[in-house]
Amino acid sequence: PTLVEQGIVRIEIKESNPIHITRVTAYREDAMTVVRGEAAFPMWKSFGIFSGHIDIDIAIPGNEVLQRRNVALVRTRIPKKRGRRAIFRSKFEFDFPKGTVANIAYHVGVN
């Protein structure tokens, strides 16, 4: 089970337009914690290009916030026309304690 299913990590996604962040989860892999998710254009948007990046803020109980900026989006299989999708993945070198909140946001450009 993922850390989200176990109730250790809560995911909060900031709204963005037209790209929506979907299916975000956190899990343990090879002694690291991985935050992984997907970004997608809506089906009615033709030939969308992912020109931005993902920002991840990990709020650990006790007021500590870890920031991971400019996480790259990697396109998945490109449909001929509509509904393009991309995945992102970021690794952290420690266990998240219970009560951790992962804030995920998509930003256009490099900042």
Side-chain angles (χ1 to χ4, degrees):
T2 67
L3 298 176
V4 176
E5 293 169 343
Q6 294 175 19
I8 296 171
V9 176
R10 186 180 60 184
I11 305 289
E12 293 183 357
I13 299 171
K14 183 178 177 186
E15 288 294 321
S16 58
N17 194 12
I19 294 170
H20 295 282
I21 299 171
T22 60
R23 293 192 254 188
V24 178
T25 192
Y27 56 92
R28 295 286 299 160
E29 178 182 271
D30 298 328
M32 299 185 89
T33 303
V34 178
V35 176
R36 182 183 191 281
E38 182 180 79
F41 278 95
M43 291 300 290
W44 62 84
K45 179 76 173 164
S46 297
F47 299 107
I49 296 173
F50 294 96
S51 60
H53 63 273
I54 300 292
D55 287 341
I56 302 172
D57 292 338
I58 304 295
I60 298 171
N63 298 328
E64 185 178 352
V65 176
L66 299 171
Q67 297 178 337
R68 196 58 61 88
R69 297 290 183 243
N70 298 316
V71 177
L73 286 161
V74 178
R75 285 190 320 219
T76 57
R77 185 181 68 84
I78 301 173
K80 292 188 183 219
K81 191 169 183 182
R82 300 185 183 276
R84 292 190 176 187
R85 296 180 180 278
I87 60 170
F88 62 91
R89 183 176 176 183
S90 185
K91 293 182 179 183
F92 297 86
E93 297 178 351
F94 62 92
D95 288 331
F96 292 168
K98 187 169 181 131
T100 299
V101 179
N103 295 297
I104 315 295
Y106 175 81
H107 293 282
V108 176
V110 293
N111 293 328

